Amino acid sequence: MSALPRAPSSKAATERDAMPDDQLMLAYAQGDGAAFDVLYARHEGGLFRFVKRLLGARLAAQADEVFQDTWVRIISARDSFSPQGAAWRTWAFTIAHNVAMDRLRVSGREVALDAHPDDGDDAVPTLDRGVRGAALDAAAHPSAEELAFWRAAGRRLLACLDELPAEQRAAFLLHHEDGLTVEALAASLGLGFETVRSRLRYGLQKLRGCMERYLSVLEQRA
């Protein structure tokens, strides 16, 4: 992403590699272009995966463009970033979310969600808690059958994500990719707590139904 080549000292490069994201962004805003290089290298993969999954299979060809637009907005907003607000990663993922959702709106794929049932006080369930636990148990000595199962489950999960309405998919990905709580999601997206919780709950219910075949196998193994 850098326009000009640099040759920082090894000591300076090591110091940058150890800096938290927030400090790197502040350094970049003050003119340290190499700090941006570190940020980009650190988060390139995660942001691209998030953008691609949020856009879904139908707009997968536009993932590169949306990804680049996200970094352009990050660069343009460098002077407005404040470490007293959201963490840099949350701030950047929110920008990526907004860029991707704009593209989805233009493409006419956004689905409005106006149902907000009474969910009670139960915590929003997570889909991958049991999946990850079972995966860790199998990771030590995976058989060919287990490897095939996890590959098939991964492909199915991506297909199931693509079937979700865009707003539910976005809430799920921000919750699981970036680890945002419901409260943090509501604050970063400017939405009500119950709205975000409903999107997560609906999305998880649909994913569970879509992944029922694989989840039932995991339940039998537990």
Side-chain angles (χ1 to χ4, degrees), residues 1 36 40 47-48 50-51 63-77 88 91-100 103:
M1 290 289 291
F36 176 80
Y40 182 82
L47 271 174
F48 183 77
F50 173 72
V51 165
D64 285 332
E65 184 178 348
V66 172
F67 175 71
Q68 294 299 330
D69 287 347
T70 295
W71 284 102
V72 168
R73 290 202 191 182
I74 289 172
I75 291 169
S76 299
W88 186 90
W91 179 76
F93 268 73
T94 302
I95 290 176
H97 164 272
N98 293 339
V99 176
R103 186 60 58 91

Side-chain angles (χ1 to χ4, degrees), residues 112-123:
L113 304 176
D114 40 36
H116 300 287
D118 181 6
D119 294 327
D121 295 325
D122 295 336

Side-chain angles (χ1 to χ4, degrees), residues 147-157 211 214:
L147 288 173
F149 172 84
W150 289 112
R151 290 192 184 107
R155 289 192 296 269
R156 180 60 178 167
L157 180 56
M211 293 288 293
Y214 295 94

Side-chain angles (χ1 to χ4, degrees), residues 31-86:
D32 185 355
F36 176 80
D37 292 344
V38 176
L39 266 178
Y40 182 82
R42 189 178 290 177
H43 296 284
E44 175 186 11
L47 271 174
F48 183 77
R49 285 192 300 273
F50 173 72
V51 165
K52 189 171 182 179
R53 289 172 183 172
L54 181 50
L55 290 175
R58 296 179 187 176
L59 294 184
Q62 299 184 40
D64 285 332
E65 184 178 348
V66 172
F67 175 71
Q68 294 299 330
D69 287 347
T70 295
W71 284 102
V72 168
R73 290 202 191 182
I74 289 172
I75 291 169
S76 299
R78 60 188 180 276
D79 292 329
S80 65
F81 173 74
S82 171
Q84 281 72 45

Side-chain angles (χ1 to χ4, degrees), residues 109-219:
R109 293 192 58 213
E110 182 177 291
V111 177
L113 304 176
D114 40 36
H116 300 287
D118 181 6
D119 294 327
D121 295 325
D122 295 336
V124 174
T126 57
L127 176 72
D128 64 347
R129 193 171 294 158
V131 174
R132 287 182 181 176
L136 289 173
D137 292 339
H141 303 287
S143 65
E145 181 181 357
E146 287 169 335
L147 288 173
F149 172 84
W150 289 112
R151 290 192 184 107
R155 289 192 296 269
R156 180 60 178 167
L157 180 56
L158 291 177
C160 293
L161 279 171
D162 195 46
E163 293 176 8
L164 289 180
E167 291 179 340
Q168 292 177 8
R169 184 166 64 248
F172 176 85
L173 290 173
L174 283 169
H175 184 57
H176 288 269
E177 288 281 345
D178 199 31
L180 293 185
T181 63
V182 179
E183 292 85 353
L185 266 172
S188 63
L189 299 179
L191 298 172
F193 177 88
E194 290 301 328
T195 298
V196 172
R197 192 165 79 154
S198 293
R199 289 180 183 180
L200 276 173
R201 184 176 292 278
Y202 275 122
L204 287 164
Q205 287 174 349
K206 291 175 182 176
L207 286 173
R208 282 197 178 96
C210 189
M211 293 288 293
E212 182 177 3
R213 173 187 171 189
Y214 295 94
L215 292 175
S216 62
V217 172
L218 293 175
E219 290 172 358

